[in-house]
Amino acid sequence: MKVAVVGAGWAGISAAVALADAGHDIAVFEMAPQAGGRARSVAGEPDYDNGQHILIGAYRDSLALMRHLGADPEQVLKRLPLALPYPGEPGLCLPPGPPLIAFARGVLAHGGWPLSARLGLLAAAGSWLARGFRCDPRLSVAELCAGLPGPVKRDLVEPLCVAALNTPAPQASAQVFLRVLKDALFSGAGSADLLLPRRPLSELLAGPATAWLGKRLRLGQRVQRLESGWRVDGEAFDAVVLACTSVEAARLANSIAPDWAATAQALRFEPIITVYLNSPGSALPAPMLALREGPDAPAQFVFDHGQLGGAPGRFAFVVSGAAPWVDRGGCAEAVLAQAQRELRWVTPPVVDKVLTEKRATFACTPGLARPPARIAPGLWAAGDYVDGPYPATLEGAVRAGLAAAQGVGADAATGAGAKGAASGSPTNTP
Ligand SMILES: Cc1cc2nc3c(=O)[nH]c(=O)nc-3n(C[C@H](O)[C@H](O)[C@H](O)COP(=O)(O)OP(=O)(O)OC[C@H]3O[C@@H](n4cnc5c(N)ncnc54)[C@H](O)[C@@H]3O)c2cc1C
Protein backbone atom coordinates (compact mmCIF):
# COMPACT_ATOMS: atom_id res chain seq x y z
CA MET A 1 0.00 0.00 0.00
CA LYS A 2 0.97 3.62 -0.34
CA VAL A 3 0.82 5.06 3.18
CA ALA A 4 1.27 8.67 4.32
CA VAL A 5 2.71 9.37 7.76
CA VAL A 6 2.13 12.94 8.90
CA GLY A 7 4.78 13.98 11.43
CA ALA A 8 8.30 12.66 12.05
CA GLY A 9 8.53 12.76 15.84
CA TRP A 10 9.31 9.49 17.63
CA ALA A 11 5.76 8.20 16.97
CA GLY A 12 5.92 9.01 13.25
CA ILE A 13 9.39 7.50 12.89
CA SER A 14 8.24 4.36 14.67
CA ALA A 15 5.15 4.04 12.46
CA ALA A 16 7.09 4.79 9.28
CA VAL A 17 9.80 2.23 9.99
CA ALA A 18 7.28 -0.48 10.88
CA LEU A 19 5.23 0.25 7.75
CA ALA A 20 8.30 0.25 5.51
CA ASP A 21 9.51 -2.99 7.09
CA ALA A 22 6.10 -4.50 6.30
CA GLY A 23 6.71 -3.67 2.65
CA HIS A 24 4.53 -0.59 2.26
CA ASP A 25 5.45 2.38 0.13
CA ILE A 26 5.62 5.27 2.59
CA ALA A 27 5.90 9.05 2.49
CA VAL A 28 6.61 10.90 5.73
CA PHE A 29 5.56 14.54 5.85
CA GLU A 30 7.30 16.69 8.47
CA MET A 31 6.68 20.39 8.74
CA ALA A 32 9.95 21.17 10.56
CA PRO A 33 13.29 21.29 8.76
CA GLN A 34 14.38 18.26 10.80
CA ALA A 35 12.86 15.08 12.22
CA GLY A 36 12.53 14.26 15.92
CA GLY A 37 9.59 16.41 17.02
CA ARG A 38 9.87 17.39 20.66
CA ALA A 39 12.74 14.95 21.25
CA ARG A 40 15.49 16.43 19.10
CA SER A 41 18.44 18.76 19.29
CA VAL A 42 17.79 22.48 18.89
CA ALA A 43 17.78 23.51 15.22
CA GLY A 44 21.06 25.18 14.32
CA GLU A 45 22.52 24.44 17.78
CA PRO A 46 23.00 20.66 17.77
CA ASP A 47 24.84 20.83 21.09
CA TYR A 48 21.65 21.70 22.92
CA ASP A 49 18.66 19.42 23.30
CA ASN A 50 15.15 20.72 23.06
CA GLY A 51 14.86 19.90 26.75
CA GLN A 52 16.70 17.32 28.81
CA HIS A 53 15.31 13.83 28.19
CA ILE A 54 15.83 10.62 30.12
CA LEU A 55 14.90 7.09 29.15
CA ILE A 56 14.58 4.09 31.43
CA GLY A 57 15.41 0.44 30.96
CA ALA A 58 11.71 -0.36 30.52
CA TYR A 59 11.63 1.60 27.23
CA ARG A 60 11.86 -1.68 25.34
CA ASP A 61 10.42 -0.58 22.00
CA SER A 62 12.33 2.73 21.87
CA LEU A 63 15.61 0.91 22.46
CA ALA A 64 14.75 -1.70 19.82
CA LEU A 65 13.91 1.04 17.31
CA MET A 66 17.19 2.83 18.00
CA ARG A 67 19.10 -0.41 17.43
CA HIS A 68 17.15 -1.13 14.25
CA LEU A 69 18.11 2.27 12.84
CA GLY A 70 21.77 1.86 13.74
CA ALA A 71 22.08 3.82 17.01
CA ASP A 72 23.58 1.59 19.69
CA PRO A 73 21.88 2.36 23.04
CA GLU A 74 24.99 1.19 24.89
CA GLN A 75 27.00 3.87 23.10
CA VAL A 76 24.58 6.80 23.02
CA LEU A 77 23.07 6.31 26.49
CA LYS A 78 24.68 6.06 29.90
CA ARG A 79 23.01 3.32 31.94
CA LEU A 80 22.87 3.88 35.69
CA PRO A 81 21.03 1.95 38.39
CA LEU A 82 18.02 3.96 39.59
CA ALA A 83 19.24 6.47 42.16
CA LEU A 84 17.66 9.69 43.32
CA PRO A 85 20.48 11.44 45.19
CA TYR A 86 19.87 14.95 46.51
CA PRO A 87 22.72 17.40 47.13
CA GLY A 88 24.54 16.04 50.19
CA GLU A 89 22.17 13.04 50.58
CA PRO A 90 22.50 9.65 48.88
CA GLY A 91 18.69 9.28 48.60
CA LEU A 92 17.00 6.16 47.26
CA CYS A 93 19.38 3.86 45.41
CA LEU A 94 18.32 0.50 43.96
CA PRO A 95 20.94 -2.27 44.11
CA PRO A 96 21.18 -4.76 41.23
CA GLY A 97 19.05 -7.88 41.34
CA PRO A 98 15.46 -9.03 40.83
CA PRO A 99 13.17 -5.96 40.86
CA LEU A 100 11.07 -6.71 43.94
CA ILE A 101 14.05 -7.61 46.07
CA ALA A 102 16.08 -4.67 44.75
CA PHE A 103 13.24 -2.28 45.58
CA ALA A 104 12.84 -3.65 49.12
CA ARG A 105 16.59 -3.57 49.73
CA GLY A 106 16.90 -0.05 48.33
CA VAL A 107 14.07 1.27 50.47
CA LEU A 108 15.30 -0.44 53.65
CA ALA A 109 18.82 0.92 53.08
CA HIS A 110 17.60 4.52 52.67
CA GLY A 111 19.59 6.37 55.32
CA GLY A 112 17.60 9.60 55.19
CA TRP A 113 14.17 8.17 56.09
CA PRO A 114 13.09 6.95 59.54
CA LEU A 115 12.30 3.22 59.73
CA SER A 116 8.56 3.99 59.96
CA ALA A 117 8.74 5.82 56.60
CA ARG A 118 10.63 2.96 54.94
CA LEU A 119 8.15 0.38 56.25
CA GLY A 120 5.23 2.61 55.27
CA LEU A 121 6.47 2.74 51.67
CA LEU A 122 7.03 -1.03 51.52
CA ALA A 123 3.52 -1.64 52.90
CA ALA A 124 1.99 0.71 50.31
CA ALA A 125 3.99 -0.87 47.48
CA GLY A 126 2.85 -4.30 48.66
CA SER A 127 -0.81 -3.26 48.54
CA TRP A 128 -0.38 -1.74 45.03
CA LEU A 129 1.23 -4.97 43.92
CA ALA A 130 -1.59 -7.04 45.46
CA ARG A 131 -4.16 -4.97 43.53
CA GLY A 132 -2.26 -5.42 40.25
CA PHE A 133 -1.23 -1.75 40.22
CA ARG A 134 -4.83 -0.71 39.52
CA CYS A 135 -6.92 1.86 41.30
CA ASP A 136 -10.02 3.97 40.90
CA PRO A 137 -9.30 5.97 37.70
CA ARG A 138 -10.70 9.10 39.34
CA LEU A 139 -7.95 9.16 41.99
CA SER A 140 -5.10 11.65 41.89
CA VAL A 141 -1.56 10.67 42.86
CA ALA A 142 -1.84 12.90 45.95
CA GLU A 143 -5.01 11.03 46.99
CA LEU A 144 -3.49 7.62 46.30
CA CYS A 145 -0.44 8.47 48.39
CA ALA A 146 -2.20 10.51 51.12
CA GLY A 147 -1.35 7.90 53.78
CA LEU A 148 2.35 7.66 52.92
CA PRO A 149 4.90 9.17 55.31
CA GLY A 150 5.85 12.80 54.52
CA PRO A 151 9.50 12.16 53.58
CA VAL A 152 8.46 9.45 51.08
CA LYS A 153 5.98 11.80 49.42
CA ARG A 154 8.51 14.64 49.33
CA ASP A 155 11.59 12.69 48.21
CA LEU A 156 10.07 10.01 45.99
CA VAL A 157 6.40 10.30 45.01
CA GLU A 158 6.31 13.99 44.11
CA PRO A 159 9.54 14.14 42.07
CA LEU A 160 8.80 10.82 40.31
CA CYS A 161 5.27 11.91 39.53
CA VAL A 162 6.22 15.25 38.04
CA ALA A 163 9.15 13.68 36.16
CA ALA A 164 7.11 10.84 34.64
CA LEU A 165 3.70 12.46 34.17
CA ASN A 166 4.81 16.13 33.95
CA THR A 167 1.79 16.85 36.12
CA PRO A 168 1.95 17.76 39.83
CA ALA A 169 0.76 15.02 42.22
CA PRO A 170 -2.51 16.74 43.26
CA GLN A 171 -3.61 16.87 39.59
CA ALA A 172 -1.95 13.71 38.26
CA SER A 173 -3.66 10.41 37.41
CA ALA A 174 -2.95 7.76 40.05
CA GLN A 175 -3.79 4.98 37.57
CA VAL A 176 -1.14 6.12 35.07
CA PHE A 177 1.37 6.68 37.88
CA LEU A 178 0.86 3.13 39.15
CA ARG A 179 1.37 1.79 35.64
CA VAL A 180 4.67 3.66 35.36
CA LEU A 181 5.77 2.30 38.75
CA LYS A 182 4.79 -1.23 37.72
CA ASP A 183 6.73 -1.13 34.44
CA ALA A 184 9.74 0.69 35.84
CA LEU A 185 10.18 -0.72 39.31
CA PHE A 186 8.53 -4.10 39.23
CA SER A 187 9.17 -5.49 35.73
CA GLY A 188 12.25 -7.25 34.36
CA ALA A 189 15.79 -6.73 35.65
CA GLY A 190 17.19 -3.37 34.54
CA SER A 191 13.76 -1.85 33.82
CA ALA A 192 14.28 0.83 36.44
CA ASP A 193 17.75 1.75 35.18
CA LEU A 194 18.16 5.36 34.12
CA LEU A 195 19.41 5.81 30.56
CA LEU A 196 20.86 9.29 30.19
CA PRO A 197 21.75 10.59 26.70
CA ARG A 198 25.51 10.93 26.20
CA ARG A 199 25.06 12.28 22.69
CA PRO A 200 22.87 15.11 21.35
CA LEU A 201 19.24 13.99 21.35
CA SER A 202 18.95 13.95 17.55
CA GLU A 203 21.66 11.27 17.40
CA LEU A 204 19.47 8.88 19.37
CA LEU A 205 16.74 8.53 16.76
CA ALA A 206 16.01 11.47 14.47
CA GLY A 207 19.41 11.49 12.73
CA PRO A 208 19.59 7.73 12.11
CA ALA A 209 15.92 7.77 11.01
CA THR A 210 16.57 10.59 8.56
CA ALA A 211 19.35 8.57 6.94
CA TRP A 212 17.27 5.37 6.97
CA LEU A 213 14.18 6.99 5.44
CA GLY A 214 16.09 8.92 2.78
CA LYS A 215 13.83 10.43 0.13
CA ARG A 216 10.75 8.98 1.82
CA LEU A 217 11.07 11.75 4.42
CA ARG A 218 9.72 15.05 3.12
CA LEU A 219 11.03 17.74 5.45
CA GLY A 220 9.58 21.25 5.60
CA GLN A 221 6.15 20.09 4.39
CA ARG A 222 3.25 20.94 6.68
CA VAL A 223 0.20 18.95 5.67
CA GLN A 224 -2.64 21.37 5.14
CA ARG A 225 -5.49 19.16 4.06
CA LEU A 226 -6.69 15.60 4.48
CA GLU A 227 -9.55 14.26 2.39
CA SER A 228 -11.12 10.91 3.01
CA GLY A 229 -10.40 8.33 0.43
CA TRP A 230 -7.36 9.23 1.17
CA ARG A 231 -5.76 12.38 -0.19
CA VAL A 232 -3.04 14.28 1.61
CA ASP A 233 -2.76 17.78 0.16
CA GLY A 234 -4.26 16.30 -3.00
CA GLU A 235 -1.92 13.30 -3.26
CA ALA A 236 -3.63 9.89 -3.18
CA PHE A 237 -2.76 7.29 -0.52
CA ASP A 238 -4.27 3.98 0.56
CA ALA A 239 -3.96 4.78 4.26
CA VAL A 240 -2.79 7.60 6.51
CA VAL A 241 -1.15 7.75 9.94
CA LEU A 242 -1.53 11.09 11.68
CA ALA A 243 1.61 11.24 13.82
CA CYS A 244 1.51 14.98 14.29
CA THR A 245 0.55 16.71 17.54
CA SER A 246 -2.96 16.23 18.93
CA VAL A 247 -3.84 19.80 17.95
CA GLU A 248 -2.80 19.26 14.33
CA ALA A 249 -4.37 15.80 14.17
CA ALA A 250 -7.67 17.28 15.42
CA ARG A 251 -7.53 19.95 12.73
CA LEU A 252 -6.81 17.48 9.94
CA ALA A 253 -9.38 14.88 11.11
CA ASN A 254 -12.10 17.35 12.05
CA SER A 255 -14.37 16.95 9.05
CA ILE A 256 -13.81 13.19 8.81
CA ALA A 257 -14.25 12.20 12.47
CA PRO A 258 -15.56 15.18 14.46
CA ASP A 259 -16.01 13.20 17.70
CA TRP A 260 -12.44 11.95 17.57
CA ALA A 261 -11.22 15.47 16.79
CA ALA A 262 -13.19 16.91 19.71
CA THR A 263 -11.57 14.45 22.15
CA ALA A 264 -8.10 15.26 20.80
CA GLN A 265 -8.85 18.97 20.87
CA ALA A 266 -9.95 18.81 24.52
CA LEU A 267 -6.51 17.70 25.79
CA ARG A 268 -4.77 20.27 27.95
CA PHE A 269 -1.01 20.71 28.19
CA GLU A 270 1.73 21.12 30.77
CA PRO A 271 4.92 23.04 30.04
CA ILE A 272 8.52 22.08 30.77
CA ILE A 273 11.25 24.67 31.15
CA THR A 274 14.89 23.66 30.74
CA VAL A 275 17.45 26.12 32.08
CA TYR A 276 21.04 25.55 31.00
CA LEU A 277 23.65 27.03 33.36
CA ASN A 278 27.37 27.28 32.69
CA SER A 279 30.02 27.03 35.36
CA PRO A 280 33.47 26.17 33.96
CA GLY A 281 35.38 23.72 36.15
CA SER A 282 32.35 22.66 38.21
CA ALA A 283 30.95 19.14 38.44
CA LEU A 284 28.09 17.54 40.35
CA PRO A 285 28.63 14.56 42.67
CA ALA A 286 26.55 12.46 40.20
CA PRO A 287 25.45 12.89 36.56
CA MET A 288 21.90 13.53 37.78
CA LEU A 289 20.70 14.97 41.07
CA ALA A 290 17.18 15.45 42.40
CA LEU A 291 16.42 18.87 43.85
CA ARG A 292 13.71 19.92 46.30
CA GLU A 293 11.12 22.04 44.54
CA GLY A 294 9.58 24.93 46.44
CA PRO A 295 7.97 28.33 45.97
CA ASP A 296 11.38 29.85 45.09
CA ALA A 297 13.01 26.66 43.82
CA PRO A 298 11.58 25.69 40.43
CA ALA A 299 13.84 22.81 39.33
CA GLN A 300 13.27 19.18 40.34
CA PHE A 301 16.36 17.72 38.64
CA VAL A 302 19.76 18.81 37.39
CA PHE A 303 22.02 17.00 34.89
CA ASP A 304 25.77 17.44 34.58
CA HIS A 305 26.51 17.33 30.85
CA GLY A 306 30.26 17.16 31.48
CA GLN A 307 29.72 13.73 33.05
CA LEU A 308 27.49 12.68 30.17
CA GLY A 309 29.98 13.24 27.40
CA GLY A 310 28.69 16.71 26.54
CA ALA A 311 30.11 20.14 27.23
CA PRO A 312 32.01 20.17 30.58
CA GLY A 313 30.68 22.89 32.88
CA ARG A 314 27.19 22.80 31.37
CA PHE A 315 24.24 21.88 33.58
CA ALA A 316 20.62 21.32 32.54
CA PHE A 317 18.03 22.18 35.20
CA VAL A 318 14.60 20.72 34.54
CA VAL A 319 11.38 22.40 35.64
CA SER A 320 8.50 20.01 34.93
CA GLY A 321 4.86 20.90 35.55
CA ALA A 322 6.07 24.44 34.94
CA ALA A 323 2.74 26.22 34.40
CA PRO A 324 3.12 28.44 37.50
CA TRP A 325 6.56 29.57 36.32
CA VAL A 326 5.35 30.28 32.79
CA ASP A 327 2.61 32.49 34.27
CA ARG A 328 4.80 34.13 36.88
CA GLY A 329 8.03 34.57 34.87
CA GLY A 330 11.51 34.80 36.36
CA CYS A 331 12.14 31.06 36.18
CA ALA A 332 15.76 31.31 35.00
CA GLU A 333 16.69 33.75 37.78
CA ALA A 334 14.98 31.52 40.36
CA VAL A 335 16.82 28.45 39.04
CA LEU A 336 20.12 30.33 39.22
CA ALA A 337 19.42 31.30 42.84
CA GLN A 338 18.36 27.72 43.63
CA ALA A 339 21.59 26.42 42.06
CA GLN A 340 23.70 28.87 44.04
CA ARG A 341 21.95 27.92 47.31
CA GLU A 342 21.93 24.17 46.90
CA LEU A 343 25.08 23.22 44.99
CA ARG A 344 28.80 23.92 45.17
CA TRP A 345 30.39 25.72 42.23
CA VAL A 346 34.01 26.22 41.29
CA THR A 347 33.11 29.31 39.25
CA PRO A 348 29.89 31.33 39.61
CA PRO A 349 27.18 29.78 37.41
CA VAL A 350 25.58 31.91 34.72
CA VAL A 351 22.41 31.34 32.72
CA ASP A 352 23.37 30.04 29.28
CA LYS A 353 20.03 29.22 27.64
CA VAL A 354 16.38 28.88 28.60
CA LEU A 355 14.00 26.65 26.61
CA THR A 356 10.30 26.77 27.33
CA GLU A 357 8.08 24.13 25.72
CA LYS A 358 4.57 25.32 26.54
CA ARG A 359 2.97 22.17 25.16
CA ALA A 360 5.62 19.75 26.38
CA THR A 361 3.12 16.99 27.23
CA PHE A 362 -0.60 16.57 27.75
CA ALA A 363 -1.74 17.11 31.34
CA CYS A 364 -2.11 13.55 32.64
CA THR A 365 -5.13 14.01 34.90
CA PRO A 366 -7.46 11.44 36.52
CA GLY A 367 -10.18 9.98 34.30
CA LEU A 368 -8.79 11.73 31.22
CA ALA A 369 -10.47 10.77 27.92
CA ARG A 370 -7.72 10.24 25.35
CA PRO A 371 -8.57 9.73 21.67
CA PRO A 372 -8.24 6.16 20.38
CA ALA A 373 -5.64 5.14 17.81
CA ARG A 374 -8.18 4.29 15.11
CA ILE A 375 -9.84 7.39 13.68
CA ALA A 376 -11.57 5.75 10.72
CA PRO A 377 -10.88 2.69 8.54
CA GLY A 378 -7.47 3.37 7.00
CA LEU A 379 -6.89 6.47 9.13
CA TRP A 380 -4.86 6.02 12.32
CA ALA A 381 -3.41 8.31 14.97
CA ALA A 382 0.04 7.85 16.50
CA GLY A 383 1.42 10.05 19.23
CA ASP A 384 2.19 10.14 22.93
CA TYR A 385 -1.34 11.41 23.61
CA VAL A 386 -3.23 8.50 21.99
CA ASP A 387 -5.23 6.35 24.43
CA GLY A 388 -2.92 4.01 26.29
CA PRO A 389 -1.54 3.16 29.69
CA TYR A 390 1.42 5.54 29.62
CA PRO A 391 1.90 9.26 30.14
CA ALA A 392 3.44 11.37 27.38
CA THR A 393 6.80 9.71 26.93
CA LEU A 394 9.14 8.60 24.19
CA GLU A 395 8.13 5.00 24.81
CA GLY A 396 4.43 5.89 24.66
CA ALA A 397 5.05 7.63 21.32
CA VAL A 398 7.04 4.72 19.88
CA ARG A 399 4.44 2.16 20.96
CA ALA A 400 1.66 4.29 19.51
CA GLY A 401 3.55 4.36 16.20
CA LEU A 402 3.87 0.57 16.20
CA ALA A 403 0.18 0.15 17.04
CA ALA A 404 -0.87 2.48 14.22
CA ALA A 405 1.32 0.60 11.73
CA GLN A 406 -0.22 -2.69 12.84
CA GLY A 407 -3.69 -1.13 12.55
CA VAL A 408 -3.05 -0.05 8.97
CA GLY A 409 -1.99 -3.61 8.17
CA ALA A 410 -5.03 -5.08 9.92
CA ASP A 411 -7.41 -2.72 8.07
CA ALA A 412 -5.84 -3.78 4.79
CA ALA A 413 -6.21 -7.45 5.66
CA THR A 414 -9.93 -7.00 6.35
CA GLY A 415 -10.53 -4.84 3.29
CA ALA A 416 -11.09 -1.66 5.30
CA GLY A 417 -9.01 1.37 4.38
CA ALA A 418 -9.02 3.77 1.50
CA LYS A 419 -11.82 2.10 -0.36
CA GLY A 420 -13.82 1.38 2.78
CA ALA A 421 -13.48 4.82 4.34
CA ALA A 422 -16.54 6.91 4.81
CA SER A 423 -16.64 9.88 2.51
CA GLY A 424 -16.21 13.00 4.58
CA SER A 425 -16.09 16.63 3.63
CA PRO A 426 -12.63 17.49 2.37
CA THR A 427 -12.07 20.85 4.01
CA ASN A 428 -9.36 21.04 6.65
CA THR A 429 -7.58 24.18 5.60
CA PRO A 430 -6.29 25.94 8.75
C1 LIG B 1 11.23 19.51 27.37
C2 LIG B 1 10.72 18.09 27.26
C3 LIG B 1 11.26 17.11 28.06
C4 LIG B 1 10.78 15.79 27.96
N1 LIG B 1 11.38 14.83 28.70
C5 LIG B 1 11.05 13.53 28.49
C6 LIG B 1 11.78 12.51 29.13
O1 LIG B 1 12.70 12.76 29.89
N2 LIG B 1 11.43 11.22 28.86
C7 LIG B 1 10.41 10.91 28.00
O2 LIG B 1 10.14 9.72 27.78
N3 LIG B 1 9.70 11.87 27.39
C8 LIG B 1 10.00 13.17 27.60
N4 LIG B 1 9.32 14.16 26.96
C9 LIG B 1 8.16 13.78 26.11
C10 LIG B 1 8.59 13.32 24.72
O3 LIG B 1 9.45 14.25 24.12
C11 LIG B 1 7.33 13.18 23.87
O4 LIG B 1 6.43 12.30 24.52
C12 LIG B 1 7.62 12.62 22.48
O5 LIG B 1 8.70 13.26 21.87
C13 LIG B 1 6.36 12.77 21.63
O6 LIG B 1 6.58 12.28 20.33
P1 LIG B 1 5.42 12.34 19.24
O7 LIG B 1 5.99 11.76 18.02
O8 LIG B 1 4.18 11.76 19.82
O9 LIG B 1 5.09 13.90 19.04
P2 LIG B 1 6.01 15.08 18.49
O10 LIG B 1 7.40 14.91 18.96
O11 LIG B 1 5.32 16.34 18.89
O12 LIG B 1 6.00 14.92 16.91
C14 LIG B 1 5.00 15.44 16.08
C15 LIG B 1 5.66 15.88 14.80
O13 LIG B 1 4.65 16.25 13.86
C16 LIG B 1 5.07 17.40 13.16
N5 LIG B 1 3.87 18.03 12.63
C17 LIG B 1 2.88 18.65 13.32
N6 LIG B 1 1.91 19.05 12.48
C18 LIG B 1 2.28 18.68 11.23
C19 LIG B 1 1.68 18.80 9.95
N7 LIG B 1 0.48 19.38 9.77
N8 LIG B 1 2.36 18.32 8.87
C20 LIG B 1 3.58 17.72 9.02
N9 LIG B 1 4.18 17.59 10.23
C21 LIG B 1 3.54 18.04 11.31
C22 LIG B 1 5.82 18.19 14.21
O14 LIG B 1 6.70 19.13 13.62
C23 LIG B 1 6.56 17.09 14.96
O15 LIG B 1 7.81 16.81 14.40
C24 LIG B 1 9.73 15.48 27.07
C25 LIG B 1 9.18 16.49 26.27
C26 LIG B 1 9.65 17.77 26.37
C27 LIG B 1 9.06 18.83 25.49
Side-chain angles (χ1 to χ4, degrees):
M1 289 196 299
K2 191 177 168 202
V3 186
V5 177
V6 181
W10 283 45
I13 292 170
S14 160
V17 170
L19 287 163
D21 281 347
H24 300 299
D25 176 15
I26 55 158
V28 184
F29 297 83
E30 169 53 56
M31 68 184 221
Q34 82 273 33
R38 279 166 275 166
R40 56 168 167 74
S41 311
V42 174
E45 293 178 289
D47 247 18
Y48 292 90
D49 292 341
N50 177 45
Q52 176 72 46
H53 279 63
I54 62 175
L55 293 80
I56 58 170
Y59 281 17
R60 194 187 59 235
D61 290 312
S62 304
L63 298 173
L65 181 60
M66 287 166 62
R67 266 186 220 105
H68 186 60
L69 297 181
D72 178 2
E74 305 306 319
Q75 297 295 321
V76 297
L77 298 167
K78 186 180 183 78
R79 183 180 275 267
L80 300 169
L82 178 68
L84 286 179
Y86 285 81
E89 302 168 36
L92 180 69
C93 194
L94 295 196
L100 275 178
I101 296 169
F103 181 73
R105 283 179 57 206
V107 171
L108 287 173
H110 194 300
W113 291 342
L115 183 62
S116 57
R118 288 177 263 164
L119 295 178
L121 173 57
L122 289 180
S127 79
W128 297 335
L129 189 64
R131 280 180 272 144
F133 291 91
R134 299 196 156 274
C135 70
D136 181 338
R138 293 165 301 180
L139 273 188
S140 71
V141 171
E143 287 165 339
L144 175 81
C145 299
L148 280 179
V152 172
K153 285 194 271 194
R154 183 197 62 194
D155 294 347
L156 186 67
V157 171
E158 289 164 9
L160 271 191
C161 175
V162 84
L165 275 64
N166 191 28
T167 308
Q171 288 105 51
S173 161
Q175 181 59 79
V176 176
F177 182 67
L178 283 178
R179 178 59 191 251
V180 171
L181 289 186
K182 174 177 179 253
D183 284 9
L185 295 178
F186 301 100
S187 300
S191 297
D193 287 353
L194 298 172
L195 307 179
L196 307 183
R198 320 160 105 127
R199 304 290 311 151
L201 206 43
S202 283
E203 290 187 25
L204 269 53
L205 197 73
T210 302
W212 195 90
L213 289 167
K215 290 207 173 83
R216 295 174 289 189
L217 175 60
R218 305 185 193 175
L219 293 172
Q221 283 197 40
R222 179 182 183 220
V223 170
Q224 305 288 349
R225 208 170 71 247
L226 174 67
E227 297 163 52
S228 64
W230 301 101
R231 297 184 88 77
V232 173
D233 286 344
E235 185 177 344
F237 289 91
D238 299 307
V240 177
V241 175
L242 293 182
C244 42
T245 57
S246 57
V247 174
E248 279 288 279
R251 176 179 73 76
L252 290 167
N254 191 33
S255 59
I256 294 158
D259 290 347
W260 187 94
T263 310
Q265 192 66 55
L267 294 174
R268 294 288 160 257
F269 300 95
E270 280 285 347
I272 297 178
I273 302 175
T274 309
V275 179
Y276 290 99
L277 297 190
N278 269 338
S279 170
S282 297
L284 298 178
M288 176 187 121
L289 287 183
L291 298 170
R292 292 211 170 86
E293 186 186 1
D296 296 312
Q300 299 101 3
F301 292 95
V302 55
F303 296 79
D304 182 345
H305 280 211
Q307 291 188 51
L308 292 170
R314 181 185 296 160
F315 302 86
F317 287 74
V318 178
V319 184
S320 294
W325 287 99
V326 170
D327 295 343
R328 168 178 164 184
C331 184
E333 295 75 13
V335 165
L336 184 59
Q338 181 184 13
Q340 284 163 334
R341 271 195 314 271
E342 296 184 26
L343 297 161
R344 289 172 185 220
W345 302 99
V346 171
T347 54
V350 291
V351 176
D352 177 25
K353 187 179 270 307
V354 183
L355 298 173
T356 303
E357 268 281 354
K358 287 197 176 160
R359 288 180 180 166
T361 69
F362 66 86
C364 191
T365 50
L368 180 68
R370 289 160 66 174
R374 193 174 198 240
I375 306 174
L379 178 61
W380 288 77
D384 60 0
Y385 67 90
V386 168
D387 195 19
Y390 300 107
T393 53
L394 300 171
E395 181 71 2
V398 168
R399 290 193 186 186
L402 290 174
Q406 278 164 8
V408 166
D411 275 351
T414 58
K419 312 298 177 278
S423 55
S425 124
T427 45
N428 310 96
T429 319

